[in-house]
Amino acid sequence: MQLPLKYGMLYFDNAYPLRIAWWDIRYSLLRPGWKSLERKAKNELVPPENGMPFHFKIGGIEPRLKDGGMFVHFSYVHPSSYTTKEALKEIESRCEQHLMSHGHYMWFNFQKVRAFLVKGQPFLEDMASRYPNKKVRIEYSGDLGVEGLYTLFRKYGKIVDIFQVPPVKDMPKQAIVQYSFMRAATSAKNCLHGTEVNGIHINVTYERTLKGNVIWTWLSNHPRLSVPLGGFAVAGVSLIVFDPIRVFSMHAKISKLFNVNEYPILKWLRKETVGRLTRTPIDSLQATGWREREQDEEKLRTWLRNPPETFAIVQGPRGAGKTDMVEYATKDKTHKIVIRCDELANARSEGEVLSNLAKQVGYIPLFQFMSTLNNMMDMAITATTGQKAGLSATFEGQLKKILDTLTIAIQQTSPTRNMSNVSPEAIMKKIEQTIEEKARRAELASSGGGVASELVQNLGSKKEPSKEEKSKKAKEESKWCDPDDIPVVIIDGYMSREKGPHAKEFWTYLADWAAVLVENHVAHVIFISNNVTASKPLSKALPNMTFETIVLMDATLESSMEFVYKHLDKEEYGNLTHCVKTIGGRLTDLELFVQKVKSGMGPEDAVNDILNRSVVEVRKNAFDFDSTEKKTLGWTPIQFWTVMKHLAVYDVASFDELKIHPLFKNDETPFSAMEQAELISINHKNGKSKTCRKRGIRTWLGGRRPFSIRPGKPIYKAAFQEILSDEGFKAVMDLESATFLDKDEMTKVVKWEGELRELSNLLHQDGSWLFGGGRVPKEVDTRVKWLMKKLAESHTKIEKYEQEMVQAKKDVASLSVNYQSSDK
């Protein structure tokens, strides 16, 4: 009689690496292939079929990827002398003995492979949210108890604890078994799920120790707590991790740590190789263009040798070479940072302003995208909860963060950070001693004696100091610093634009930040500006302090000629005096002239090209020609026309004379607006000043008044003359000016005639006084005579203006006739 085949499964628990989370990729990298596992199961893990009882044969394998094991399906013949349970137990025992005798270890964790008989119906799932765990949850409908559970589950590994869950009505009983290691739990889950013990059905699943949805639910339900806590956590991480990186990056930017051009060895190599073949700038003439700047440069260098006490303001018209002069005067400074405000003022958005500022000062990393993300989150939370979460960062807050971090970096760089308890007089004395010591050593070195000879000379003249004197001297020396090591902050283009979003706040905060550096003697701060009102916000930031003011003017004709002939061959181009005189002493215009001539244009053509551009600038900026924007000028076209006619004839116009002109009526506002637009330049005089004898610096205290007016650029005088040569435009502007003045005088006439009419009501028809007495009072008679005099003067002016109006109209008419005839 042929016995029927029976089927069963064995579970081998160390075939794969366990996968404990979605991010665990070990099993993908280390798992063997299907065929290699099947071959390994037949040849190594399971005893040979001829050595197994009951006609044992392997049917196939089934990997369990997450659980790190595999099922081995087998068939056997059930003998009559064995029960099914006994037969399966025998097969399991033979496999265990085989593994123990051969000692199979897996190479990825160096642990043995164990074999277990599968007693239930495994739940073959691949759900992404369930992963192996040391704890398994058992559901059963009978009464097992802790002892029964221990007996059933102890076979698969050492148990840490068994916890029975309190029963719930109409729900199966539950218990939690915790193993000491995870592979015991995976074996128990795969072998006992779906089995029956004494008629009790058992289901085994992994216990989820951490429920992500619970945490997310709590966070979403408590935004008032979770959002601030999250913000504090992000701020804490930023403070602990990123702020030191930013401070180091700024420190490296200031000290030029990563600038290879500043390394001494490279400087020496450059000097000994390229420096011997090329010429380098050796004086201020080559740096700024003319020798008049030597005095200003020396004045700035003298100020930099002093301890930081106030601001230095370098002012002058656009293109006067302010930036070049400051850069040349500070080129030997060891620690320097430059903030170029033009790039910040021309930015299109607040984010671009912060990005440009961070790039200039070395604020890395910035994480600008986090600001946008925080703003979006704040808007979303406000829309859902009705209250602001406080995540969004304002422009002022982010700007303050960058500058405060820069302050820390400058403080770390500044050698004056240990001198807070030392008086400014003592600091100044020590700095002067340091400068004198440097000069003396340089003189000794140049004479050939050097420092060694000085030491030999002083060796016998000075006795050896004691240890106490040495330590006291070392402690005092640690407080002093070399003036060249004091950091310099250069703010270039300060108040280059007064209009725009956050412009006023930006300039104010920049001035307040610079004031903190100066008040704490941390660094020198130099402001470079072409705005005449730049000192106002600086005075508010640093009140009761005088500023070191340097005003750069245009070069003289001799210096301008020297500059031009330094770049152009005098023999090739001949006498260029007329061309340079027309252009004037503005550095940018002279450089443009030289570039055009070098590119192939003739000197006269180059001057005409620059002049034509200047004419277009004046027409557009002064008379609002070719303007696509609806902007309001701070002056009327006829007001500037009057100023332009004076400046076209004379190099300098009287400020007081123009201010009392009928078109201005003693108002200085139009002149300030013209100066802001760089159409004119106002000179001042009679200012009070203070001279520091010790430092040799002359500082303006104020009290200056406007005295004279010059063109905004030297070439503007030629541009004004060119505009005046346009007969049609001149006639139109003269007509507008005469018409305005005529109307103004007519208004005065109407006013005075009205007053005479009111006085006439006080007289009888025969001319006698209305209140008796016969004669008209002297006071009334004097007033009437004064009014009659004013009427006569006004009528004279009106006749003059009307004649000018008639002449201007004739000029316009004659020009129109000439244009028509020329067209025919």
Side-chain angles (χ1 to χ4, degrees):
M1 177 179 177
Q2 187 175 3
L3 297 175
L5 285 176
K6 298 286 184 176
Y7 300 94
M9 286 190 295
L10 291 170
Y11 179 76
F12 293 86
D13 71 343
N14 197 25
Y16 292 96
L18 287 171
R19 189 178 188 186
I20 59 176
W22 62 268
W23 43 263
D24 191 352
I25 60 173
R26 293 177 301 168
Y27 86 103
S28 300
L29 301 176
L30 303 177
R31 65 178 181 179
W34 186 297
K35 292 184 177 180
S36 63
L37 270 180
E38 187 174 10
R39 184 168 53 254
K40 186 177 183 67
K42 291 181 177 180
N43 299 334
E44 298 180 12
L45 301 181
V46 180
E49 294 181 353
N50 56 7
M52 292 289 289
F54 315 127
H55 302 283
F56 176 90
K57 288 187 179 181
I58 296 176
I61 67 169
E62 188 173 357
R64 299 297 299 145
L65 301 181
K66 289 193 299 183
D67 298 333
M70 66 175 176
F71 293 111
V72 176
H73 296 267
F74 64 89
S75 63
Y76 66 99
V77 177
H78 189 290
S80 58
S81 59
Y82 285 83
T83 63
T84 303
K85 184 177 180 181
E86 293 174 347
L88 292 175
K89 189 171 182 60
E90 180 67 20
I91 293 174
E92 181 184 16
S93 176
R94 293 285 182 94
C95 291
E96 290 178 352
Q97 293 175 3
H98 176 74
L99 292 175
M100 291 179 63
S101 61
H102 289 79
H104 289 288
Y105 291 87
M106 297 305 290
W107 63 272
F108 53 81
N109 60 2
F110 303 103
Q111 293 182 7
K112 289 183 178 181
V113 180
R114 300 186 303 164
F116 300 98
L117 181 67
V118 178
K119 299 179 179 180
Q121 299 294 326
F123 178 31
L124 305 178
E125 47 82 18
D126 59 352
M127 289 183 284
S129 62
R130 296 190 180 184
Y131 294 97
N133 192 0
K134 292 181 180 180
K135 295 181 180 180
V136 290
R137 179 178 289 267
I138 302 102
E139 295 182 355
Y140 55 96
S141 56
D143 186 11
L144 285 177
V146 176
E147 294 182 0
L149 292 173
Y150 180 83
T151 303
L152 185 61
F153 284 87
R154 177 60 181 87
K155 176 181 181 179
Y156 303 98
K158 186 176 181 179
I159 296 176
V160 177
D161 191 17
I162 298 176
F163 172 73
Q164 287 186 315
V165 181
V168 180
K169 186 179 180 181
D170 299 330
M171 293 291 292
K173 295 181 180 181
Q174 296 183 0
I176 297 176
V177 177
Q178 181 180 356
Y179 285 98
S180 60
F181 58 94
M182 196 175 296
R183 289 197 178 272
T186 59
S187 300
K189 187 255 184 185
N190 284 281
C191 294
L192 295 179
H193 180 80
T195 188
E196 289 188 3
V197 179
N198 300 327
I200 300 174
H201 187 79
I202 296 176
N203 291 329
V204 183
T205 57
Y206 295 122
E207 173 68 6
R208 301 180 66 180
T209 56
L210 183 62
K211 298 183 179 179
N213 59 337
V214 175
I215 299 176
W216 174 253
T217 302
W218 187 91
L219 291 175
S220 60
N221 291 336
H222 300 81
R224 296 183 182 179
L225 294 176
S226 60
V227 173
L229 289 176
F232 291 148
V234 173
V237 172
S238 176
L239 182 64
I240 296 173
V241 178
F242 296 113
D243 278 8
I245 297 176
R246 291 163 178 159
V247 172
F248 173 76
S249 177
M250 287 181 166
H251 184 276
K253 181 82 173 180
I254 297 169
S255 59
K256 304 174 184 177
L257 181 62
F258 299 116
N259 188 356
V260 295
N261 294 325
E262 298 296 327
Y263 290 174
I265 183 65
L266 292 180
K267 283 185 176 181
W268 179 82
L269 288 174
R270 192 185 308 111
K271 178 182 177 181
E272 296 299 326
T273 55
V274 181
R276 295 181 178 275
L277 302 176
T278 59
R279 295 180 60 186
T280 56
I282 56 175
D283 58 12
S284 61
L285 171 65
Q286 294 176 333
T288 58
W290 41 79
R291 296 192 180 276
E292 283 90 345
R293 297 295 160 81
E294 288 182 348
Q295 184 177 0
D296 296 326
E297 290 173 11
E298 185 58 32
K299 183 179 179 181
L300 184 59
R301 290 193 184 97
T302 304
W303 178 79
L304 290 173
R305 296 190 190 104
N306 305 315
E309 294 180 358
T310 184
F311 297 143
I313 306 176
V314 180
Q315 290 182 310
R318 193 185 302 273
K322 303 181 293 297
T323 302
D324 293 338
M325 190 271 287
V326 172
E327 288 182 353
Y328 187 78
T330 59
K331 65 182 180 67
D332 295 329
K333 286 294 178 180
T334 308
H335 305 134
K336 181 172 64 175
I337 190 72
V338 181
I339 299 177
R340 305 197 182 277
C341 298
D342 290 336
E343 298 180 6
L344 308 180
N346 295 327
R348 294 168 293 180
S349 62
E350 296 176 356
E352 189 173 352
V353 172
L354 297 173
S355 299
N356 292 341
L357 178 61
K359 183 178 179 181
Q360 290 180 12
V361 301
Y363 186 84
I364 300 172
L366 177 59
F367 296 138
Q368 185 63 26
F369 70 93
M370 290 297 297
S371 176
T372 305
L373 182 61
N374 290 339
N375 293 337
M376 294 174 61
M377 291 178 61
D378 198 3
M379 292 175 60
I381 293 172
T382 303
T384 54
T385 63
Q387 295 184 357
K388 289 188 176 181
L391 291 176
S392 58
T394 61
F395 171 75
E396 292 79 5
Q398 297 179 76
L399 178 64
K400 182 178 182 297
K401 175 67 175 176
I402 295 176
L403 294 180
D404 288 350
T405 308
L406 180 58
T407 302
I408 297 173
I410 294 175
Q411 286 178 335
Q412 293 181 357
T413 308
S414 176
T416 61
R417 63 184 183 273
N418 297 325
M419 302 168 61
S420 57
N421 297 326
V422 185
S423 64
E425 292 76 13
I427 296 174
M428 186 62 202
K429 182 178 179 181
K430 186 62 181 180
I431 288 177
E432 289 178 352
Q433 292 177 359
T434 304
I435 295 173
E436 292 175 359
E437 183 69 17
K438 279 188 173 182
R440 187 165 59 85
R441 289 176 179 272
E443 186 177 353
L444 286 172
S446 61
S447 63
V451 181
S453 62
E454 180 189 6
L455 293 175
V456 172
Q457 293 175 5
N458 297 334
L459 188 60
S461 61
K462 293 184 180 180
K463 63 179 181 179
E464 183 71 20
S466 63
K467 291 184 178 180
E468 294 180 357
E469 292 177 349
K470 285 183 178 181
S471 77
K472 183 177 180 181
K473 184 178 180 181
K475 190 176 295 184
E476 290 179 354
E477 290 293 336
S478 64
K479 293 183 177 180
W480 307 117
C481 63
D482 191 334
D484 290 336
D485 293 335
I486 300 177
V488 178
V489 179
I490 301 174
I491 302 178
D492 191 5
Y494 182 71
M495 288 190 69
S496 58
R497 176 180 293 182
E498 295 188 63
K499 297 181 180 180
H502 303 286
K504 184 177 181 181
E505 294 82 359
F506 176 72
W507 302 127
T508 301
Y509 193 83
L510 204 58
D512 293 339
W513 170 75
V516 173
L517 297 179
V518 172
E519 288 175 343
N520 291 278
H521 307 289
V522 174
H524 290 292
V525 181
I526 303 173
F527 287 90
I528 304 174
S529 177
N530 57 355
N531 194 321
V532 294
T533 62
S535 59
K536 292 182 180 180
L538 299 181
S539 300
K540 294 180 181 179
L542 204 63
N544 304 323
M545 292 292 293
T546 59
F547 302 145
E548 173 62 19
T549 304
I550 299 175
V551 181
L552 301 186
M553 303 301 293
D554 296 317
T556 61
L557 179 61
E558 292 76 13
S559 296
S560 301
M561 293 297 299
E562 186 177 356
F563 174 84
V564 171
Y565 284 132
K566 188 180 65 148
H567 295 85
L568 300 176
D569 189 0
K570 186 175 182 180
E571 297 180 359
E572 180 181 355
Y573 295 101
N575 190 1
L576 299 175
T577 304
H578 176 69
C579 298
V580 175
K581 190 174 182 179
T582 302
I583 295 174
R586 186 62 55 88
L587 178 60
T588 52
D589 292 337
L590 292 173
E591 290 176 343
L592 182 61
F593 170 73
V594 170
Q595 291 175 4
K596 290 182 177 296
V597 173
K598 284 185 175 181
S599 64
M601 295 181 65
E604 295 293 336
D605 294 337
V607 172
N608 291 333
D609 184 67
I610 298 173
L611 179 60
N612 292 334
R613 292 187 180 185
S614 301
V615 170
V616 174
E617 288 179 7
V618 173
R619 287 184 181 274
K620 182 177 180 180
N621 297 329
F623 302 102
D624 202 15
F625 286 177
D626 301 329
S627 178
T628 57
E629 301 178 358
K630 294 182 179 180
K631 61 180 181 180
T632 303
L633 300 175
W635 63 89
T636 62
I638 56 177
Q639 285 178 332
F640 183 77
W641 176 257
T642 303
V643 175
M644 189 181 71
K645 288 197 297 184
H646 282 75
L647 295 178
V649 179
Y650 308 103
D651 293 336
V652 180
S654 173
F655 181 86
D656 297 326
E657 180 184 353
L658 287 171
K659 188 175 71 170
I660 62 176
H661 192 278
L663 289 175
F664 293 95
K665 298 180 181 179
N666 218 21
D667 184 13
E668 297 183 3
T669 305
F671 298 103
S672 299
M674 294 177 195
E675 188 179 24
Q676 283 290 110
E678 300 181 3
L679 293 169
I680 63 173
S681 175
I682 301 177
N683 301 324
H684 298 73
K685 69 174 296 187
N686 295 337
K688 297 180 180 180
S689 63
K690 174 183 177 183
T691 302
C692 180
R693 295 180 180 178
K694 183 182 250 187
R695 304 179 190 176
I697 298 177
R698 186 176 181 85
T699 305
W700 288 103
L701 299 179
R704 298 188 298 167
R705 69 175 188 87
F707 173 70
S708 61
I709 297 177
R710 293 178 179 271
K713 292 182 179 181
I715 197 173
Y716 276 178
K717 180 178 181 180
F720 295 161
Q721 295 172 349
E722 185 70 19
I723 294 174
L724 286 172
S725 65
D726 186 349
E727 296 293 338
F729 183 66
K730 179 178 181 300
V732 171
M733 294 305 299
D734 287 341
L735 178 60
E736 290 184 6
S737 300
T739 303
F740 179 85
L741 294 173
D742 181 73
K743 289 181 180 180
D744 186 60
E745 290 297 328
M746 289 297 294
T747 303
K748 295 179 181 178
V749 168
V750 172
K751 177 183 176 182
W752 291 325
E753 288 177 347
E755 186 175 352
L756 285 173
R757 192 177 298 108
E758 292 178 359
L759 292 175
S760 66
N761 294 332
L762 301 177
L763 303 175
H764 290 291
Q765 292 183 357
D766 58 357
S768 61
W769 182 239
L770 180 64
F771 300 101
R775 293 181 60 187
V776 178
K778 182 180 179 181
E779 293 81 0
V780 177
D781 184 60
T782 303
R783 181 65 179 176
V784 171
K785 289 180 179 179
W786 183 86
L787 290 172
M788 296 299 294
K789 180 183 177 182
K790 286 296 182 182
L791 281 173
E793 292 176 356
S794 294
H795 279 295
T796 303
K797 292 179 181 180
I798 289 172
E799 289 178 358
K800 175 187 174 185
Y801 295 149
E802 288 180 349
Q803 290 176 3
E804 293 177 356
M805 292 166 60
V806 171
Q807 183 62 39
K809 291 179 180 178
K810 288 181 180 179
D811 294 340
V812 172
S814 62
L815 289 172
S816 63
V817 172
N818 293 335
Y819 291 152
Q820 292 176 2
S821 61
S822 63
D823 291 341
K824 292 180 180 179

